[in-house]
Amino acid sequence: MTHLLPTGGRTRTIAAVAYDSPEARELTRALHREQIATYGRADDPEATEPAEFDPPRGAFLLVSRADGTALACGGWRTAAPATAEIKRMYVAPAARGHGLGRQILTALEDDARRHGMGEAILETGMSNRAALALYTHCGYSLIDPYVTGRDPRINRALGKVLRP
């Protein structure tokens, strides 16, 4: 799966990659560093088994410039029957403000829907106002926490029905 993205005259591609590819690791490590700086702790992205994002039970997408520079990423994995969990959504600071987060989210939802998922769930930090605004604008609403032990002062769980 590779698509060209409309981003203000610049050529960008979105493609499925292995979760443990060098480009994906670069971005998930940057996400981890930002989460640590903001919250003092974060789930280690390298503790996630790469196979969790392998089709047909998941996917990991990467947005890149024409020169191959990785700009943004995100993935989905099967959380329960017909339920996709969106994970590791991240846009590099220099690429923010161009709609890449929304484009990745839409592509992830479309892919999950094609694989029989009827619902998407995700977590984000309450201090990440840009992410909360994106998810809310894209139809996500608050749900009960689905990960045991999460701190409600930090984490927000959101969900959305993926309509056909």
Side-chain angles (χ1 to χ4, degrees):
M1 162 182 159
T2 301
H3 301 287
L4 292 177
L5 296 176
T7 52
R10 297 185 187 118
T11 302
R12 308 271 194 255
T13 59
I14 186 167
V17 299
Y19 177 69
D20 58 354
S21 70
E23 299 82 6
R25 284 290 191 224
E26 175 186 339
L27 291 177
T28 59
R29 287 176 182 147
L31 167 62
H32 188 246
R33 287 190 300 272
E34 280 191 26
Q35 290 172 325
I36 295 290
T38 302
Y39 303 108
R41 62 184 140 158
D43 295 338
D44 182 356
E46 294 183 30
T48 301
E49 287 296 321
E52 291 185 29
F53 295 100
D54 287 350
R57 299 183 42 82
F60 201 79
L61 305 180
L62 192 75
V63 175
S64 302
R65 285 195 318 226
D67 68 4
T69 302
L71 301 172
C73 65
W76 74 269
R77 64 184 182 182
T78 301
T83 302
E85 181 184 22
I86 305 293
K87 296 288 291 178
R88 311 284 187 247
M89 288 276 300
Y90 181 72
V91 177
R96 293 178 184 163
H98 300 284
L100 297 180
R102 179 182 295 204
Q103 290 172 334
I104 290 173
L105 184 59
T106 299
L108 290 169
E109 291 172 350
D110 290 347
D111 190 64
R113 195 179 294 108
R114 279 191 299 276
H115 286 89
M117 300 294 139
E119 177 184 18
I121 59 175
L122 59 86
E123 278 189 330
T124 193
M126 66 174 270
S127 294
N128 192 341
R129 301 206 187 289
L132 286 167
L134 169 67
Y135 298 136
T136 300
H137 184 80
C138 290
Y140 286 79
S141 57
L142 288 173
I143 60 172
D144 290 333
Y146 59 89
V147 178
T148 306
R150 291 298 201 213
D151 185 340
R153 294 169 298 170
I154 296 174
N155 298 101
R156 293 291 180 264
L158 303 158
K160 174 183 177 177
V161 173
L162 298 177
R163 303 203 192 295

